[in-house]
C-alpha cells in the first residue's frame, strides 16, 4: 500500500515535473531513431571494446518507449545499444552517448560542462534550450534536423563521419579560421 | 637466309590480306566487348559511389540531401536513371531521363532497355543494408559507336587494300617477268635456228660452187680424155701387126688414161652432174671380188677381214662407184693406221631411219661397214670429214675428195653414210644402200670382153657433136666398128641431113650443145621420124636427162669417155632394141 502510493506519487511528481513537451509521436519516433543511429557515424577514441554502448537519456525523458523500441536490436559498430535513464550526468556516469534534456537536478549547460573533454557524444535539443552539444536537434520546416559541432567533438576526442556532416543543418567546423 | 620476294606467291599475299582483315575484325570485336564491359562496370561503380554518399541521407531520411546527391550524379549526360530505394525496395528519390521509365519499386527483373548498363549497390550502414541505389547509364550513343567502328573498319580496309595492291602488282611483275623470260628463250631459240640454217646454207653453197667448179673442169678434161682414149684405142688396133712394145706402151697409156677418166667420173659424180649407171648388185660378191685388189693396194701391214652376211639383200647402185667408195675408205683406213692394223669389211641387212629411231619409218638398207683400229677422229675432223678438199693427210698425199665423193655417190643412190669414231679405238664408216626389190639377175662387175659387136648391113649413124675433135673421134670409132657414118655439127644441120637421108638408122648425139641441145634435137627428130633410135652421150649431162629415165626402147645413153667396147655394145643394144 505504501509502495503503490509511493509509485503514484513518483509518477505524479514526474508528470508534474516534466514540462508540457508537446512533441508529436512521429517527432519522438524520428528523434529516437536518429539517436540510435548517430553512434554509427561517430568514432570514439581508444581501442574498440566489445561491450554494449550506453545511450543515456539525461533529465526529462520525452521519448518514452520510443527510444526503447528504436534501440531494440540496434547495433552500433557491432555493439548492442543499452539505454539508461539518468537524472543527472557526471563524468563517471559511463555514457557513451548522452541525450541532455535538463532537469531540476541539473541544467543542460551544467551537464555539458560536467563532461566537457570526455569522449561523450552529447546531444541536445533546441526544444530544451540553446545550449548545444555535439549534436543539436532542431525542427526545421517540420522536419527533424540537427546541427553538429565538430569542434566540440574534436575537443572530446570524438570523430564525426563526413557523411553525417553532409546532412547536418550546420556544421561548426573543426578548423579554426 | 635471303628471301626471294618474287617467289612469294600471290595466294600467300591474298591469304595475308584476309588474315589481316579477320584479325582487325577480331580486335574490333574484342575491343568493343571490353569497352561495353567497362561501361557496364562504370554504371555499377556509380551506383556504389552513390550508395556510399547517401548512407547518412538515407539513414536519416534526409530526402533533400538525397535528392541533391542524385542530381549531382544525374549531371553525367550518359545517366538515364539515378535512384535510391529504401530497405523495403520503395523508391525514396530518383531521376530518369530520355524516356526511360523510373521504376517505383526495386525490381530485379526490370530490364532497362537496349544499349543501357545498370548497376545496383546496397547502401550499408555498418553491416546493415538500409537501402539500394540503382543507376542506369547509356553505354554509348549509337553515332559514336558507329564512328568508332567506321574508323577501325576504314583502317583495316586500307591495310587490306595496300596488301592486295602489293600482291597484284607483284603478280603483274611476275607475269611480266615470265613473259620476258619466254621472249628471251624464244629469241635464243630463233637465233640458234638461224645460225643452224645459215651454216647449212653455207654448206650447200659451198658444195654447189665446188660442184660447179669440178663439173666445169671435168667436162673439159673429159673431152680431152675422150680424144686420147679413142685415138690410142684405134692406134692399138692399127698397129696390131706391129711390134709388141708399141702395144704394151699403148696399153699402159690406155690404162692411165682410163684411171684419169675414172677420176673425172668421180669428180662428176660428186658434182652430181654425171648420171650413174646403177644396176642391181650383190654387195657380197662385189666385196669378195675386190679382196685381191685391196690386198695389193693396202699393203702387207694391214690385215683384212671380211664378214659377209648370209642372205644379204640386193642393192641397186653403180658398181664402179661402190668399188671406188670401198677402195677410198680402205685407203683412208690404211693411212689412218699408218700401214699397220686390222681392217674389217662387214656387210649386213638393216632397217635404218636416218633421223633416229621413231622420227621417220625405217627403210631396209644394205650396210657395208669398213672399220679400222686406228687412232680414230677428233670431233673437228669428224665435222669436216665429208668436206671437199678437206684432208688430214700431208701435202701431195690426199686430194681431200675421197670422202666427199663417197658422200656424193651414196646420196645420189638414195643411201646414207655414217661415221662412228672413238679416239684411240678406231673408226667405222657405214655405207647404207637401199635394198633393191627388183629382178634377181645381177650383172657381174667389170667383165672385159674382146668380142665386139659390130655393125650390120645398112646401118648408118648420124653423129651430132659440136666439138670437132670429139666428133672426129666418134666417127673414127664407129667407122672402125663397121658403121657408115654421117656427121653434123649442130642440131639444125642434123635435122636437114635427116630430112634428106631417110636411110639413117641411128642418131648419135651429144646432149650439151649450143643453140639446140641433144634433147631438143631428139624431140624434133621424133616428129620427123618417130621410130628412129637415139643414142645420147655427154660427159656433162643435166639431171633432167637422168631423171626423165633412159628406159625407152629407142633411147640409149653412154657417158663420155667411153671405150670402143662400151660404144660398140651400147650402139648395138640400141639398134637391136629398136629392131624388136
Amino acid at each position: 500500500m505504501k509502495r503503490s502510493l509511493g509509485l503514484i506519487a513518483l509518477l505524479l511528481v514526474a508528470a508534474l515535473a516534466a514540462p508540457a513537451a508537446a512533441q508529436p509521436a512521429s517527432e519522438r519516433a524520428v528523434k529516437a531513431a536518429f539517436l540510435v543511429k548517430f553512434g554509427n557515424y561517430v568514432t570514439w577514441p581508444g581501442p574498440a571494446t566489445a561491450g554494449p554502448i550506453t545511450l543515456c537519456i539525461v533529465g526529462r525523458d520525452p521519448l518514452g518507449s520510443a527510444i526503447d523500441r528504436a534501440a531494440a536490436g540496434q547495433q552500433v559498430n557491432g555493439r548492442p545499444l543499452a539505454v539508461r535513464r539518468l537524472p543527472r550526468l557526471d563524468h563517471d556516469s559511463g555514457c557513451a552517448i548522452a541525450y541532455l534534456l535538463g532537469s531540476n537536478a541539473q541544467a543542460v549547460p551544467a551537464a555539458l560542462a560536467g563532461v566537457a573533454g570526455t569522449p561523450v557524444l552529447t546531444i541536445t535539443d533546441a526544444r530544451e534550450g540553446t545550449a548545444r552539444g555535439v549534436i543539436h536537434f532542431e525542427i526545421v520546416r517540420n522536419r527533424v534536423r540537427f546541427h553538429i559541432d565538430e569542434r566540440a567533438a574534436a575537443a572530446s576526442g570524438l570523430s564525426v563521419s563526413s557523411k553525417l556532416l553532409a546532412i547536418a543543418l550546420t556544421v561548426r567546423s573543426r578548423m579554426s579560421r | 637466309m635471303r628471301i626471294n620476294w618474287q617467289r612469294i606467291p600471290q595466294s600467300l599475299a591474298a591469304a595475308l590480306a584476309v588474315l589481316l582483315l579477320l584479325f582487325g575484325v577480331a580486335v574490333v570485336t574484342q575491343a568493343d566487348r571490353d569497352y561495353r564491359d567497362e561501361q557496364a562496370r562504370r554504371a555499377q561503380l556509380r551506383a556504389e559511389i552513390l550508395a556510399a554518399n547517401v548512407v547518412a541521407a538515407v539513414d536519416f531520411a534526409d530526402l533533400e540531401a538525397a535528392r541533391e546527391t542524385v542530381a549531382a550524379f544525374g549531371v553525367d549526360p550518359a545517366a538515364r536513371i539515378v535512384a535510391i530505394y529504401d530497405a523495403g525496395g520503395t523508391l525514396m528519390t530518383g531521376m530518369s531521363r530520355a524516356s526511360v521509365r523510373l521504376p517505383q519499386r526495386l525490381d530485379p527483373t526490370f530490364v532497362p532497355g537496349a544499349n543501357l548498363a545498370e548497376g545496383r549497390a546496397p547502401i550499408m550502414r555498418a553491416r546493415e543494408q538500409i537501402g539500394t541505389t540503382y543507376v542506369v547509364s547509356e553505354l554509348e550513343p549509337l553515332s559514336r559507336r558507329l564512328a568508332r567502328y567506321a574508323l577501325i573498319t576504314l583502317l583495316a580496309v586500307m591495310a587490306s587494300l595496300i596488301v592486295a595492291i602489293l600482291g597484284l602488282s607483284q603478280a603483274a611483275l611476275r607475269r611480266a617477268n615470265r613473259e620476258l623470260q619466254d621472249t628471251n628463250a624464244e629469241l635464243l631459240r630463233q637465233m640458234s635456228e638461224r645460225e643452224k640454217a645459215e651454216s647449212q646454207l653455207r654448206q650447200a653453197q659451198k658444195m654447189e660452187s665446188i660442184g660447179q667448179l669440178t663439173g666445169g673442169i671435168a667436162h673439159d678434161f673429159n673431152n680431152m680424155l675422150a680424144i686420147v682414149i679413142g685415138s690410142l684405142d684405134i692406134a692399138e688396133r692399127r698397129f696390131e701387126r706391129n711390134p709388141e712394145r708399141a702395144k704394151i706402151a699403148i696399153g699402159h697409156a690406155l690404162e692411165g688414161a682410163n684411171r684419169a677418166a675414172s677420176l673425172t667420173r668421180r669428180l662428176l659424180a660428186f658434182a652430181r652432174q654425171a648420171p650413174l649407171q646403177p644396176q642391181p648388185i650383190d654387195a657380197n660378191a662385189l666385196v669378195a671380188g675386190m679382196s685381191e685388189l685391196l690386198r695389193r693396194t693396202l699393203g702387207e701391214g694391214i690385215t683384212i677381214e671380211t664378214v659377209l652376211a648370209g642372205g644379204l639383200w640386193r642393192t641397186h647402185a653403180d658398181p664402179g662407184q661402190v668399188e671406188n667408195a670401198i677402195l677410198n675408205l680402205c685407203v683412208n683406213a690404211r693411212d689412218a693406221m699408218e700401214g699397220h692394223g686390222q681392217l674389217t669389211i662387214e656387210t649386213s641387212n638393216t632397217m635404218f631411219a636416218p633421223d633416229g629411231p621413231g622420227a621417220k619409218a625405217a627403210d631396209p638398207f644394205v650396210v657395208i661397214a669398213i672399220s679400222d683400229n686406228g687412232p680414230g677422229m677428233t670431233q673437228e675432223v669428224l665435222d669436216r670429214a665429208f668436206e671437199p678438199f678437206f684432208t688430214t693427210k700431208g701435202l701431195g698425199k690426199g686430194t681431200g675428195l675421197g670422202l666427199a665423193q663417197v658422200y656424193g655417190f651414196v646420196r645420189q643412190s638414195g643411201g646414207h653414210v655414217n661415221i662412228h669414231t672413238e679416239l684411240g679405238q678406231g673408226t667405222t664408216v657405214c655405207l647404207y644402200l637401199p635394198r633393191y626389190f627388183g629382178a634377181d639377175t645381177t650383172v657381174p662387175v667389170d667383165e672385159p670382153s674382146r668380142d665386139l659387136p659390130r655393125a650390120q648391113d645398112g646401118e648408118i649413124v648420124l653423129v651430132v657433136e659440136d666439138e670437132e675433135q670429139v666428133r672426129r673421134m666418134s666417127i673414127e670409132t664407129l667407122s672402125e666398128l663397121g658403121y657408115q657414118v654421117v656427121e653434123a655439127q649442130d642440131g639444125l644441120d642434123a635435122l636437114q641431113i635427116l630430112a634428106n637421108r631417110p636411110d639413117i638408122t641411128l642418131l648419135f648425139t651429144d646432149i650439151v650443145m649450143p643453140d639446140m641441145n641433144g634433147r631438143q634435137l631428139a624431140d624434133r627428130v621424133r616428129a620427123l621420124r618417130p621410130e628412129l633410135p637415139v643414142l645420147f652421150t655427154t660427159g656433162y649431162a643435166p639431171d633432167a636427162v637422168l631423171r626423165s629415165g633412159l628406159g625407152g626402147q629407142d633411147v640409149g645413153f653412154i657417158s663420155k669417155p667411153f671405150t670402143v667396147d662400151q660404144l660398140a655394145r651400147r650402139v648395138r643394144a640400141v639398134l637391136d632394141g629398136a629392131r624388136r
Side-chain angles (χ1 to χ4, degrees), chain B residues 252-580:
Chain B
H252 283 162
L254 196 62
E255 205 182 295
N258 272 331
R259 275 214 295 275
S262 173
L263 171 66
T264 60
R265 209 178 303 128
R266 274 188 265 159
L267 271 174
L268 288 169
F270 163 68
R272 303 183 195 207
Q273 284 165 341
L276 306 172
Q277 289 167 334
Q279 307 153 21
I281 53 174
D282 176 6
N284 280 346
L286 191 137
V287 169
M290 283 180 75
S291 60
E292 192 53 40
L293 171 68
L294 285 174
R295 237 170 285 280
R296 270 192 281 120
T297 312
L298 299 181
E300 278 142 20
I302 305 290
T303 322
I304 303 174
E305 188 191 353
T306 56
V307 181
L308 305 178
L312 190 71
W313 296 328
R314 305 215 182 277
T315 186
H316 194 258
D318 182 313
Q321 298 293 346
V322 176
E323 275 190 2
N324 269 334
I326 295 174
L327 189 61
N328 249 313
L329 295 173
C330 289
V331 167
N332 281 353
R334 180 205 60 194
D335 292 338
M337 294 189 283
E338 286 173 12
H340 294 275
Q342 163 101 359
L343 178 84
T344 310
I345 305 176
E346 193 176 333
T347 60
S348 57
N349 297 334
T350 191
M351 300 295 288
F352 179 68
D355 300 320
K360 187 191 147 209
D363 295 312
F365 286 89
V366 170
V367 187
I368 305 170
I370 291 107
S371 312
D372 66 65
N373 56 356
M377 304 196 306
T378 63
Q379 187 62 40
E380 295 97 38
V381 171
L382 183 60
D383 286 341
R384 300 181 67 190
F386 292 117
E387 215 178 273
F389 302 120
F390 174 76
T391 179
T392 56
K393 299 177 186 171
L395 204 61
K397 291 215 169 45
T399 57
L401 282 175
L403 274 180
Q405 171 199 325
V406 169
Y407 180 81
F409 147 67
V410 169
R411 295 294 294 156
Q412 216 174 347
S413 306
H416 306 276
V417 191
N418 267 358
I419 302 180
H420 303 283
T421 184
E422 211 173 308
L423 283 171
Q425 300 284 355
T427 305
T428 302
V429 182
C430 297
L431 306 176
Y432 293 83
L433 294 169
R435 180 181 177 183
Y436 175 67
F437 289 95
D440 213 26
T441 52
T442 51
V443 179
V445 182
D446 219 1
E447 210 180 85
S449 164
R450 292 270 146 227
D451 187 14
L452 277 180
R454 299 182 61 81
Q456 294 174 8
D457 283 337
E459 288 182 332
I460 305 171
V461 181
L462 172 60
V463 173
V464 187
E465 168 64 62
D466 57 315
E467 297 222 22
E468 194 186 330
Q469 299 274 35
V470 181
R471 190 170 68 246
R472 286 266 135 258
M473 201 243 28
S474 297
I475 294 165
E476 297 274 3
T477 312
L478 286 165
S479 306
E480 184 61 32
L481 290 167
Y483 295 95
Q484 290 178 59
V485 185
V486 184
E487 65 180 284
Q489 62 182 14
D490 58 44
L492 282 169
D493 228 8
L495 284 168
Q496 216 165 11
I497 293 167
L498 269 171
N500 295 330
R501 295 276 314 254
D503 55 341
I504 286 172
T505 53
L506 175 68
L507 173 65
F508 178 49
T509 176
D510 189 19
I511 291 181
V512 177
M513 294 186 292
D515 298 330
M516 190 194 304
N517 68 34
R519 192 101 188 97
Q520 289 166 333
L521 174 60
D523 290 340
R524 302 272 287 265
V525 164
R526 193 166 289 116
L528 270 174
R529 293 201 36 199
E531 84 296 347
L532 182 69
V534 179
L535 179 63
F536 290 109
T537 184
T538 184
Y540 194 61
D543 267 348
V545 177
L546 179 64
R547 268 193 257 114
S548 69
L550 305 169
Q553 269 184 326
D554 46 2
V555 171
F557 189 90
I558 184 169
S559 68
K560 286 190 271 193
F562 42 77
T563 60
V564 177
D565 192 88
Q566 289 169 330
L567 182 63
R569 289 185 192 287
R570 184 59 59 175
V571 169
R572 189 70 263 142
V574 171
L575 281 169
D576 289 345
R579 209 158 283 195
R580 264 181 258 130

Side-chain angles (χ1 to χ4, degrees), chain A residues 33-95:
Chain A
F34 280 23
L35 281 171
V36 303
K37 287 179 185 180
F38 283 141
N40 287 310
Y41 298 88
V42 173
T43 319
W44 278 263
T49 48
I53 279 200
T54 322
L55 168 63
C56 301
I57 314 290
V58 180
R60 295 173 274 268
D61 176 13
L63 302 175
S65 57
I67 191 74
D68 299 291
R69 266 188 304 231
Q74 193 66 263
Q75 284 199 336
V76 172
N77 293 330
R79 296 162 66 183
L81 210 59
V83 178
R84 282 176 66 188
R85 287 175 176 80
L86 298 172
R88 56 178 292 121
L89 182 65
D90 301 306
H91 57 77
D92 56 359
S93 297
C95 300

Side-chain angles (χ1 to χ4, degrees), chain A residues 7-32:
Chain A
L7 269 166
I8 293 165
L10 200 66
L11 277 167
L12 274 169
V13 167
L16 283 168
Q23 290 191 18
S26 57
E27 187 185 323
R28 279 196 295 240
V30 169
K31 281 182 183 168

